[in-house]
Amino acid sequence: MKGYAGKLLRVNLTDGKISKEEISESMKKDFLGGRGFAVKLLWDEVKRVDPLSEKNKIILATGPLSGQMLPSSGKMVIASKSPLTGGYGDGNIGTLASVHLRKAGYDVVVVEGRSEKPCLLVIEDDQVRIVEASELWGKNTFDVQDHLEKTYGRNSGILLTGPAGENLIPISTVMSQRGRAGGRPGMGAVMGSKHLKGVVIKGTGSIPNADDGQLKALGKKGYEEIKGKESYDFWMRQGTMQAFEWCNENGCLPTYNFREGVFEFSKEMDGYVLEQFHVDRKGCPMCNMQCGHVIKDSEDQRAELDYENVGMLGPNIGLRDLRQVALLNRMADEWGLDTISLGSGIGFLMEASERGLIKEKIGWGDFVAAQKLIREIGMGEGTGSLVSRGVKAASEALGKDSYRWAMHVKGLEISAYNCHGCPGMALSFGTSPIGASHKDAWIIAWEIATDRFSYSKEKVEKLVEFQRIRGGFFESATVCRLPWVEVSFGLHWYPEYLEAITGIHRTWEDLYQIGDRIYTLIRAFWKREIPQFGRTWDFPPDRWFEEPHSQGKVKGVTVDRKKYEEMLSYYYQLRGWDENGIPLKQTLDRLELKEVAKEITGSF
Amino acid sequence: MIGVEPWVINVAELKFFGYLADLAGSRKREVTLERAVPLRELLPPRFPKENIIILINEKAASLDSVIQNEDSVVFMPILSGG
């Protein structure tokens, strides 16, 4: 099939063996790329291992659209068995590494084993080397990015783990280009466990597409369509930060560890305030609607902001100063900590302090304490160490019913949307395949636009549709999901791009089928790795069911547990899973996953 | 029939979010209505007809929905999440 480099690069850091393997046609046809490749490889090769042992593997996976001259294609998926959740973990990162990997002649890299000493993996077309990097160990991701750009060239594709990942902190992520992040469920720690400080990629070749002329023409039209949208200018001014005012108005802004949905100081730090402080814009390769907005933080250093990190490190911890939030965000990026999990962890500690469950006094909005906690979380020391393994583990250690307000699903912290009054979005978090990520099915806008408080079948059907498009297609293609919704970029473009690239005509129905296969295989992976996995893992925390907000549009509202159960059952029915959320044999057969049924027979 | 008259108490309030505020020319308008009118009559011609959230008194509505004085209307873009 055209449009793929066709090679998988396998690197064993224990024995230094480097090999190149053909990617089968069935792999391309059935799993497309990105997340699809990642879960297939993890299913086949990573079975019941300790995520931080040398037996775990980390996958860097692109898809046929990655790095192509079409809108927002500079993406790749980083996946592994998660040290945070114990299940399938991945994240999507915008990075030059995506473009360079394809040009170097590979679609996927599998890194296995563990290097004796800290190392870098350097990929320069056919030349692949493991280079000792002891001098970089312990250094933050910004300094290492600078160093590697000087050594290998400013245009190199670079993926890094920070000091947090080196310290095996399970809420650590992978960083690139001083602010791009991906792999929330502890992908940084998996790199750290392998003593892999970073990956440097430089490619000079080209991708063998079916029809380059057609792709070039279609890509050009796509970029022009995006620039011509009426929402484009505003997007370029505020990016995802427009969601701040939006969420506050709708009572969805995570505030004081998700206790409230509106923040009394929201107007001091919303997208309009961002515009006043704005000094630069950053984005991923191949993107003409960059979402990263750079401001000078409270130490006058450049820091890149978007809605998620402002929501979680601002109102969720009671902090009202955007420049101080920017500083916390920069610290997180330097340490290689996930900003969402970090904001949730700090909010958890502030609430625990308020309740007198820990001895330290940490008030809401305490900026100095928050900085100290970030350092402690990154080191796994002191009070911060309580949440460095995530709020699920923290609540298990703390006890005293703290699980009720430990804001996570499946061990992954909930991102910046408070769902007391959004049952569809609550189900979206509940059924996201990596834990509580907003990326797979951001249904909240659709449900507010239609019938916000309903628990209808139509809402569940829409949720599955969004998962198929976002978590299934975009994560596997791999391209960014933002152009579609944020500026109404037409979905019809994607099958057209795929056909120009691969030479094969596929409809959205065909792509849905691939998405369903990927979701079901991820579900099977969770079940195989965690035998007790099942329905109870698909529930958001009790706070959303039991503790209504005291103010705002959804004051007094909570998610109805019985109706949530009904939605969840219907979701399983649509997915072809049983009442415990485990794929049915006939579903596995239909999705051509028969080998999966054989392997987890005990589950049926 | 329609005018911006902030000294009049009996008004309908229109709030615009995101790029819709740019299109409407302001983030908030108050209008005095002599009779109930469909929303679309209050909006500029280039205002989007789809892919937006419209809430009248916090309930989902459309451009064909009719409003009157004392109604509160919110227009929001569909977002994707950061």
Side-chain angles (χ1 to χ4, degrees):
Chain A
M1 193 185 298
K2 295 280 190 182
Y4 293 85
K7 289 278 195 299
L8 178 152
L9 177 66
R10 189 180 295 275
V11 178
N12 188 308
L13 296 177
T14 303
D15 60 16
K17 187 178 173 194
I18 294 167
S19 59
K20 295 159 192 171
E21 302 168 11
E22 293 292 325
I23 298 174
S24 71
E25 290 302 301
S26 64
M27 181 87 156
K28 298 172 198 167
K29 180 175 77 69
D30 295 342
F31 292 94
L32 192 61
R35 170 180 271 180
F37 284 179
V39 69
K40 175 66 170 140
L41 287 161
L42 290 171
W43 174 264
D44 288 345
E45 302 183 15
V46 175
K47 298 178 186 176
R48 301 186 188 95
V49 305
D50 175 350
L52 295 177
S53 74
E54 64 181 300
K55 290 181 180 172
N56 197 8
K57 303 186 183 189
I58 191 158
I59 317 281
L60 316 177
T62 62
L65 270 57
S66 306
Q68 302 271 14
M69 190 57 77
L70 56 88
S72 306
S73 71
K75 291 275 190 173
M76 69 168 24
V77 163
I78 302 175
S80 190
K81 179 173 176 177
S82 165
L84 180 63
T85 68
Y88 174 82
D90 75 13
N92 181 321
I93 186 168
T95 170
L96 277 167
S98 164
V99 182
H100 277 290
L101 185 66
R102 302 265 283 155
K103 287 185 171 181
Y106 313 100
D107 300 305
V108 186
V109 181
V110 178
V111 182
E112 49 196 40
R114 173 185 287 148
S115 171
E116 192 176 323
K117 294 180 178 175
C119 69
L120 289 175
L121 173 61
V122 180
I123 303 165
E124 294 177 289
D125 292 330
D126 280 346
Q127 303 301 310
V128 181
R129 296 171 289 148
I130 301 166
V131 179
E132 188 186 333
S134 296
E135 76 282 5
L136 301 179
W137 203 248
K139 289 192 162 54
N140 78 53
T141 65
F142 285 25
D143 289 347
V144 176
Q145 178 84 26
D146 289 344
H147 174 84
L148 294 179
E149 285 183 2
K150 281 177 191 157
T151 306
Y152 293 97
R154 196 150 178 259
N155 189 39
S156 304
I158 297 169
L159 300 167
L160 297 170
T161 191
E166 296 171 12
N167 295 332
L168 309 182
I169 303 302
I171 61 167
S172 58
T173 187
V174 176
M175 300 299 304
S176 186
Q177 299 173 214
R178 301 178 198 81
R180 310 277 96 191
R184 289 190 56 211
M187 300 302 103
V190 177
M191 282 182 71
S193 73
K194 298 186 174 306
H195 294 157
L196 179 63
K197 181 65 183 177
V199 182
V200 180
I201 310 173
K202 294 173 75 174
T204 58
S206 58
I207 307 162
N209 293 319
D211 189 339
D212 275 320
Q214 176 71 349
L215 179 62
K216 188 176 177 185
L218 290 172
K220 184 167 180 284
K221 284 183 187 173
Y223 283 117
E224 287 170 356
E225 179 178 308
I226 287 172
K227 285 193 84 166
K229 293 288 186 181
E230 285 191 313
S231 53
Y232 183 76
D233 287 345
F234 192 85
W235 169 266
M236 295 303 279
R237 278 168 26 216
Q238 293 198 7
T240 60
M241 268 296 285
Q242 64 186 292
F244 195 95
E245 181 192 36
W246 190 100
C247 284
N248 197 63
E249 172 70 18
N250 286 312
C252 305
L253 193 67
T255 306
Y256 304 120
N257 194 30
F258 288 83
R259 248 187 210 159
E260 299 290 346
V262 297
F263 189 42
E264 58 268 43
F265 307 109
S266 68
K267 289 195 182 309
E268 297 177 23
M269 57 192 311
D270 63 14
Y272 292 96
V273 177
L274 176 85
E275 285 190 53
Q276 292 168 23
F277 289 136
H278 186 271
V279 295
D280 199 1
R281 188 181 295 123
K282 287 178 69 179
C284 307
M286 309 301 180
C287 181
N288 70 336
M289 48 180 288
Q290 297 94 335
C291 61
H293 289 265
V294 179
I295 71 168
K296 292 287 185 72
D297 64 28
S298 55
E299 289 181 349
D300 218 28
Q301 300 292 308
R302 290 165 60 93
E304 181 181 339
L305 293 175
D306 71 13
Y307 168 68
E308 295 295 334
N309 47 51
V310 175
M312 296 304 295
L313 292 168
N316 197 54
I317 66 169
L319 188 59
R320 60 195 276 191
D321 184 314
L322 191 63
R323 296 181 75 219
Q324 290 181 342
V325 171
L327 185 141
L328 299 185
N329 183 61
R330 174 169 60 84
M331 286 181 70
D333 287 348
E334 288 173 343
W335 278 89
L337 286 163
D338 172 55
T339 51
I340 295 169
S341 291
L342 183 64
S344 191
I346 294 173
F348 179 91
L349 288 174
M350 288 175 169
E351 181 159 354
S353 175
E354 184 182 62
R355 289 170 178 264
L357 300 180
I358 58 175
K359 63 182 180 184
E360 290 76 8
K361 297 297 176 198
I362 314 168
W364 294 108
D366 186 334
F367 177 53
V368 174
Q371 292 172 76
K372 180 168 176 280
L373 286 173
I374 291 175
R375 286 188 284 269
E376 290 179 348
I377 291 167
M379 295 292 289
E381 296 175 353
T383 305
S385 67
L386 184 64
V387 295
S388 61
R389 290 185 296 125
V391 297
K392 180 185 179 193
S395 69
E396 288 165 357
L398 193 60
K400 297 169 186 163
D401 285 350
S402 59
Y403 70 90
R404 293 180 179 278
W405 39 272
M407 304 306 291
H408 73 92
V409 178
K410 299 183 182 69
L412 183 68
E413 284 70 21
I414 296 167
S415 44
Y417 309 94
N418 207 352
C419 296
H420 292 74
C422 302
M425 190 66 196
L427 184 68
S428 172
F429 278 125
T431 57
S432 162
I434 62 168
S437 168
H438 59 288
K439 290 187 174 179
D440 277 77
W442 205 80
I443 197 174
I444 191 169
W446 182 88
E447 85 176 318
I448 289 173
T450 53
D451 189 0
R452 177 171 186 167
F453 300 112
S454 86
Y455 295 76
S456 66
K457 286 189 169 181
E458 184 192 10
K459 194 173 275 191
V460 183
E461 289 159 6
K462 184 57 79 173
L463 168 58
V464 172
E465 179 188 333
F466 284 167
Q467 285 184 338
R468 285 169 166 161
I469 296 169
R470 295 172 60 115
F473 176 73
F474 286 143
E475 296 295 305
S476 302
T478 55
V479 288
C480 182
R481 70 199 180 283
L482 292 178
W484 167 44
V485 180
E486 299 290 357
V487 298
S488 303
F489 184 58
L491 278 179
H492 68 88
W493 288 104
Y494 294 101
E496 293 181 46
Y497 289 142
L498 260 184
E499 185 166 353
I501 289 166
T502 64
I504 296 172
H505 175 72
R506 273 175 287 198
T507 65
W508 268 107
E509 283 301 318
D510 299 329
L511 299 170
Y512 284 177
Q513 172 90 350
I514 295 172
D516 289 351
R517 181 176 298 118
I518 292 167
Y519 266 67
T520 292
L521 188 55
I522 292 176
R523 194 77 181 179
F525 185 88
W526 278 90
K527 181 63 181 170
R528 186 183 69 184
E529 299 304 305
I530 306 173
Q532 68 272 27
F533 179 80
R535 185 183 183 96
T536 56
W537 291 60
D538 293 335
F539 280 74
D542 288 350
R543 171 152 284 171
W544 283 355
F545 293 107
E546 297 172 1
E547 297 178 27
H549 300 165
S550 68
Q551 55 186 319
K553 274 194 174 173
V554 291
K555 176 183 175 181
V557 176
T558 56
V559 179
D560 184 304
R561 196 182 295 271
K562 183 168 176 293
K563 290 177 180 173
Y564 182 91
E565 293 263 17
E566 290 168 1
M567 283 205 303
L568 184 60
S569 291
Y570 186 53
Y571 174 85
Y572 291 157
Q573 190 182 323
L574 292 175
R575 284 254 169 244
W577 302 347
D578 69 15
E579 269 292 295
N580 195 31
I582 307 304
L584 293 161
K585 185 173 184 309
Q586 57 264 37
T587 303
L588 294 166
D589 287 349
R590 177 173 53 82
L591 295 172
E592 299 169 72
L593 295 169
K594 288 182 182 174
E595 77 283 4
V596 175
K598 282 180 199 160
E599 190 156 350
I600 55 173
T601 303
S603 303
F604 292 97
Chain B
M1 183 186 74
I2 303 159
V4 180
E5 299 176 275
W7 59 88
V8 176
I9 296 169
N10 199 13
V11 296
E13 180 186 77
L14 311 182
K15 288 169 74 177
F16 301 90
F17 287 79
Y19 79 99
L20 301 176
D22 285 0
L23 295 179
S26 67
R27 293 165 71 182
K28 187 174 173 184
R29 277 173 62 196
E30 290 180 346
V31 295
T32 303
L33 305 171
E34 292 177 2
R35 59 177 172 80
V37 294
L39 265 181
R40 64 173 69 248
E41 291 186 15
L42 304 175
L43 300 168
R46 61 194 284 247
F47 203 81
K49 310 293 184 286
E50 54 188 15
N51 286 332
I52 58 173
I53 297 170
I54 304 172
L55 304 174
I56 300 177
N57 304 326
E58 301 185 13
K59 292 207 170 96
S62 73
L63 291 176
D64 294 322
S65 299
V66 173
I67 68 160
Q68 54 196 1
N69 289 333
E70 298 185 6
D71 281 340
S72 173
V73 186
V74 173
F75 299 90
M76 294 178 172
I78 298 279
L79 303 181
S80 174

